[in-house]
Amino acid sequence: MSGVWVFDKKGVAHLIANPTRESFEQREPTSQSGTATAPGARPRALVYLPANHVIKSYEELEQRLSELGWTRYHNPHGSGLLQFHRSDDSADLISLPTSFANLKPLHMYDIVVKNRSFFEVRLTSSS
């Protein structure tokens, strides 16, 4: 793992693989719809391939996942996660943060791996 480890205000370390000067500058969070990204990282979007549509909310994602046979898992213990499972006979589980704004590429790739023909992660244009 090459790069630079940076600690945020909460004391959590993050690896910045290709650091730039802008990576270390303190900036206000942008109001982009989509996902949280590490400083200096290129933002990504989850795309539903059959419609070539960028997923912009959990409502849209839940609709697409339900069309593919996923159902929302209601955890009685309140784990603080939004979870989806395929069926009671399947071990497949998708766990997401409760806020769509905190959806990270890691979560997007988890969705893609479990639904290869239907989702893709793409770099968003920075304009």
Side-chain angles (χ1 to χ4, degrees), residues 28-84:
E28 291 297 316
T30 59
S31 61
Q32 287 180 326
S33 64
T35 63
T37 57
R42 297 188 300 187
R44 289 170 169 73
L46 182 65
V47 178
Y48 181 67
L49 293 174
N52 197 30
H53 175 75
V54 175
I55 302 295
K56 296 180 183 169
S57 70
Y58 274 149
E59 291 78 23
E60 292 177 11
L61 179 59
E62 187 167 2
Q63 176 187 355
R64 298 303 186 181
L65 288 174
S66 67
E67 292 169 2
L68 298 173
W70 291 86
T71 56
R72 182 117 175 239
Y73 177 74
H74 296 284
N75 188 346
H77 304 293
S79 65
L81 295 172
L82 184 62
Q83 296 180 313
F84 297 91

Side-chain angles (χ1 to χ4, degrees), residues 67-108:
E67 292 169 2
L68 298 173
W70 291 86
T71 56
R72 182 117 175 239
Y73 177 74
H74 296 284
N75 188 346
H77 304 293
S79 65
L81 295 172
L82 184 62
Q83 296 180 313
F84 297 91
H85 66 103
R86 278 215 185 179
S87 70
D88 294 333
D89 300 330
S90 172
D92 286 339
L93 182 69
I94 297 173
S95 297
L96 307 171
T98 54
S99 171
F100 189 76
N102 293 330
L103 189 72
K104 296 183 179 166
L106 170 80
H107 304 110
M108 293 181 199

